Amino acid sequence: MKSYIIIIFSSLFGASLLGQVKYTISGYVMEEGSQEKLADVTIFDQLSKNGTYTNEHGFFSLSLDQDSINLFVSSIGYQDYYFEINLKRDTSITVYLKFSTELETIEVKESREVPLVNQTQSGKISIALDQVKSAPALLGEVDILKVVQLLPGVQAGLEGLNGFHVRGGSNDQNLILLDGIPIYNSSHLLGLFSTFNADVVKYMSLYKSGFPARYGGRISSILDVRLKDGNMENYHGKISLALLSSKLHLEGPIKKEKSSFLVSIRRSYYDIFANTYLKIVEDEVQKINFNFYDINAKYQQMINDKNRIFGSIYVGNDIFGFAIQQPDSEIFTAIKWNNKIASIRWNKEISAKFFSNISANFSDYNFENNISSTSLDTTETSTFATNYQSRIQELSAKMHFDFVPNPNHYIKFGANLTRYSFKPGTISIINDKTSSKIDTTLGASQEISPELSLYIEDELSVGKLKAHIGLHYSAFFTGKTYSLLQPRVSLNYKLMDRISAKLSLSRMQQYVSLLSNETISLPSDIWIPSTQKLDPLNSWQYTLGLATSFKGIDFSIDVFYKKMNNVNSYKDGSSLFIDIQIPWEDKITQGEGESYGIEFFMQKKIGNSTGWFGYTLSRNWRRFDEINKGIKYPYKYDRRNSIQAVWSHQFSKKFSTSATWVYGTGNAVTLPNYIIEVSNGRDIFIADSRNNYRMSPYHRLDIGCEFKKQKKRSVRIWSLSVYNAYFRINPYFIEIVNWNNGYRIRETGILPIIPNASLSYEF
Amino acid sequence: MNILKIFTLLIVILSVSCNIEFTKDFEIASADHENKLVINSHFIKGDSIIEVYLKSSKAVAQQAIQPELINPYVIIEFADGIERQLIYNDSTELYELSLENVQITAGDQIKLEAGAENFDVVFSSQIVPQEVNLLSAELEANAYYDIILDPWDKLTIELNEDNENDNFYAISLSHLGFRFARDSIASEWKSRIFPVLGNMYRGGFDRHVVFSDSDFNGLEIEIPFRTIFPKDSEGQLKSIRSEVILESITEERYLYLKSLAFVWQAEDNPFVDNFDLSQNIENGYGYFTISNVDRIELN
């Protein structure tokens, strides 16, 4: 422990001892017109060769020698901005970048900074929203999480669903943040859509390794999604109609350049079509509920040049159920799950070098399964109902500070205090029939657990070496206190002008995990805390890589190794809905996981054609004392080879096309490999080990195109896409079936070729 | 108009594609399995014969052949130390041994050995469990077969065991036509909605509920389940003789029946995790188990 602290402090002060008189130029970078603050914008002085970048809130600070400076401000998707200034005092400025609608030529300016080579973290990928929006969309809905699944090192979960697995980790090991607030269920309609409405997303970054110290609580990845704040100058909106869902988006100033609002609503309507169909063809009165809606709303208020307040909420609701009405009874069943998020945040520019972000946040995920049946007997009407509920809530306060003492250091530090409330599965049973009344509740009671975390990190430059070093400390209280000091180190060494070597080491700890059936993840999977019996998950991850760029294309190759401890799984024979009298903790066993591999990635971000190509070769294992006789076995999503190719081309301002192609080795599944007969003559199928079989490889091509037309007051956009264009039957599940006095394996797919069209108007 | 045509075409493609069945069948690759001997044998103290089923396991392959056993044998050694070879009965296809002159007492260790040419010799052993006495049993039979709303049957038993071991039990009812309701709705409702006291499972053959000492405090236990008692044309219960059968079983039998229930539950559901069948045959598969039994007649 002591050695980590010494290293950080010496690097904090070492460089400053060599500094001369400097002045600080600081401020914000915003998008011209909307005044949306832009993150990760490069600000570079071409005379002194010093630079920095904006933080998540668009703020930057750069200390330079007094004298003339020549600043170059650049961000992908925006026109570059140059200006000269004679720096004689601390200066505060706001830079407005114009969104680039011009088609760029292929020629790339050689002096331009290429982010990937200079990026300290080897495992960070930033995806521009344009690339997300141009990717072909399943059912017409642009989906951020489906684009994340197209990145190297990321495995998709089951076909069509939104779970993702990063370098061998499970879905719950991803910290998914919506404006800095964790979201516990990131999908709608059992995973067909994500909770992120692409119309309100400003940018997103995925960290697969080299995690900055300000992040904690998950061991495999961080997906940081930031939403727009609302246009401060003009009113804008968008209406979209697709085959199965629609969206409405509105934003604009409440008071110009002082306050703004943003509201976005989505709703699906599959059930409307289905109910109409049922009314026509079915005799029984039936009704299906299968829909989702979500609402994003945000408000920002500029108090003065240095202070801003933001308030935001997100509400998302899903329901999947049906009702059957018969002459003597009514049966109703529904699965419902919903997310609620609320946040209030205060950004303050304390000084030219010091920025703070303080927030209070709330996140709530609730799952319910209701079944009720009412008997309409003429002599006695009675209702029998059960309700299963699982819930997690989080209330937190966060303080975060950016301190930029000089161009060689960028220090971030802060603290978070979180109060978790868990309700890991309760069942209520009611039967009001006179002869046998029941009204009881079974299962786990509510558990409250607080967590405290502190962190400090510094991004520093020493000659050819850039380092991002930090410490994250967290403590979780649950009748027993768990705590861990987690070092985070990322190094980037410039071997040559355009080639850098990268190394990272991360220690992570996770106190909250998702307990799910290994075969399939469902919204009924429950979030559970670490307890006195269950230790927190933790991991070590090491990465070594090379990055370069050539003619505007970034290349990288990374080797990684990750060791996970205390991963959770149901014991053999245990399940959520069996033996509900048994405490849920006693149904769980803990073990370890290991993954390692090599990733190749190339990405082109500028020009008429953009996209990326990724290839990953990896292995991924699990081992539990109480499963598979203690022998390690392949993790379900262990895919030896995976390939992702994404391409989009803009032919003109009015027409663009895109395509994606993915390939992955088949999932590991458990299939019986021998049969024994039990004494009543019945065969038992037995597998001698877990995940002993591979499904067929998965591959799929999606294509899409977009037609834009400028109308009087709006832009009309037609989007056409085809999911699974060559109709590959990708296996969703697998089983043994009888066949000619023997047996065969049957793979069943669920998603056919799915065309889609959507119409949008942007105004 | 062009847009309308495109929309129409898309709807047609979507509708047609959603109606196409897309499954793919594969032949299972050549058997990646080493055949071993399978033993099925359970006997109750007091039985007049012991029966052992002996076969080979079979690979899950399209046309996998179950090998014939050459020179098979089964030997059982009782507490008296004498090894007795079982005789094959052609009509029952079982290996049998008469227990007329064999003394079996609670606490005795009984060993089994079986073999055949080209197979590993298999072994197993059991300790005969202690006796447990049923003191009383009372049944409320209220359930009907397929009406979900109706209450369940309730069996209340009182038993007496005077040893300090951790005992295991299997309980069942015996009458003509008895079985647990095994339709899928009933089984789902049973496991998901109604509280099953402790680690109770419906074990094999739809007959047993198995539980252990650790599952209940004291000596009175309620077991909710469904039975199908025969009824007359007016829906009234027929008068029948029925017995409650309580077996004191070994832990191996308890684990076998418990895991078997989950195997049945999981076998037709591709979304349920695989369950390992608990077996106690060394170098082979299957089970060799023993129980003690007590019975009480129900009114």
Side-chain angles (χ1 to χ4, degrees), chain A residues 367 369 388-390 423-427 443 515-517 522-528 570-571 573-582 584 587-588, chain B residues 191-192:
Chain A
F367 170 84
N369 183 3
Y388 166 81
Q389 185 192 26
S390 170
K423 212 172 190 179
T426 57
I427 296 181
L515 191 60
S516 62
N517 182 293
L522 297 167
S524 60
D525 298 335
I526 56 173
W527 284 95
I528 57 171
Y570 279 114
K571 293 178 183 173
S574 290
S575 169
L576 191 58
F577 296 113
I578 294 172
D579 300 325
I580 52 180
Q581 292 281 39
I582 297 177
W584 59 268
K587 298 184 186 182
I588 297 169
Chain B
S191 63
R192 190 175 46 165

Side-chain angles (χ1 to χ4, degrees), chain A residues 91-159:
Chain A
T91 304
S92 181
I93 62 169
T94 301
V95 178
Y96 294 93
L97 292 186
K98 190 173 181 181
F99 186 72
S100 174
T101 56
E102 298 296 323
L103 299 178
E104 294 192 43
T105 60
I106 302 294
E107 184 188 348
V108 175
K109 296 172 191 158
E110 290 299 318
S111 61
R112 189 174 201 169
E113 291 289 327
V114 182
L116 192 60
V117 170
N118 293 314
Q119 185 176 283
T120 315
Q121 284 106 352
S122 59
K124 179 183 176 183
I125 301 179
S126 298
I127 304 294
L129 257 296
D130 282 349
Q131 286 185 310
V132 172
K133 290 178 180 178
S134 65
L138 173 62
L139 299 172
E141 181 68 26
V142 173
D143 193 324
I144 285 165
L145 293 187
K146 290 212 165 35
V147 174
V148 167
Q149 292 175 354
L150 298 173
L151 300 172
V154 181
Q155 313 282 3
L158 288 176
E159 164 93 271

Side-chain angles (χ1 to χ4, degrees), chain A residues 51-258:
Chain A
T52 188
Y53 55 89
T54 54
N55 68 7
E56 301 88 357
H57 311 288
F59 174 79
F60 74 92
S61 174
L62 183 61
S63 292
L64 298 166
D65 293 339
Q66 64 176 7
D67 213 335
S68 174
I69 59 171
N70 187 349
L71 279 187
F72 165 84
V73 182
S74 167
S75 182
I76 299 292
Y78 293 88
Q79 292 181 4
D80 298 340
Y81 186 78
Y82 301 86
F83 66 96
E84 287 185 29
I85 188 169
N86 209 352
L87 199 61
K88 292 192 181 305
R89 63 180 71 80
D90 288 345
T91 304
S92 181
I93 62 169
T94 301
V95 178
Y96 294 93
L97 292 186
K98 190 173 181 181
F99 186 72
S100 174
T101 56
E102 298 296 323
L103 299 178
E104 294 192 43
T105 60
I106 302 294
E107 184 188 348
V108 175
K109 296 172 191 158
E110 290 299 318
S111 61
R112 189 174 201 169
E113 291 289 327
V114 182
L116 192 60
V117 170
N118 293 314
Q119 185 176 283
T120 315
Q121 284 106 352
S122 59
K124 179 183 176 183
I125 301 179
S126 298
I127 304 294
L129 257 296
D130 282 349
Q131 286 185 310
V132 172
K133 290 178 180 178
S134 65
L138 173 62
L139 299 172
E141 181 68 26
V142 173
D143 193 324
I144 285 165
L145 293 187
K146 290 212 165 35
V147 174
V148 167
Q149 292 175 354
L150 298 173
L151 300 172
V154 181
Q155 313 282 3
L158 288 176
E159 164 93 271
L161 302 187
N162 271 331
F164 63 99
H165 305 263
V166 181
R167 290 181 174 174
S170 54
N171 193 34
D172 63 321
Q173 294 173 9
N174 306 314
L175 179 64
I176 302 176
L177 298 170
L178 184 65
D179 268 354
I181 312 165
I183 194 159
Y184 287 93
N185 184 288
S186 58
S187 65
H188 286 302
L189 293 188
L190 304 175
L192 285 177
F193 302 103
S194 80
T195 53
F196 301 108
N197 182 344
D199 289 339
V200 297
V201 173
K202 188 159 59 175
Y203 74 88
M204 65 176 200
S205 296
L206 176 73
Y207 294 87
K208 300 181 291 181
S209 63
F211 305 109
R214 61 188 179 274
Y215 296 112
R218 303 288 189 276
I219 64 172
S220 280
S221 81
I222 315 291
L223 179 65
D224 192 350
V225 180
R226 298 281 167 170
L227 304 185
K228 293 179 184 174
D229 296 322
N231 195 314
M232 291 275 256
E233 287 196 8
N234 301 297
Y235 293 100
H236 288 283
K238 185 176 178 182
I239 300 172
S240 299
L241 294 167
L243 285 183
L244 292 178
S245 64
S246 288
K247 294 190 285 189
L248 170 65
H249 172 79
L250 290 170
E251 60 177 296
I254 296 173
K255 188 172 180 184
K256 257 196 179 178
E257 297 182 8
K258 288 289 180 189

Side-chain angles (χ1 to χ4, degrees), chain B residues 134 136-137 155-159 171 211 219-221 244 246:
Chain B
L134 263 176
S136 69
L155 175 71
T156 306
I157 64 168
E158 191 178 347
L159 55 90
I171 195 158
F211 53 94
L219 298 172
E220 185 166 303
I221 182 170
V244 176
L246 177 73

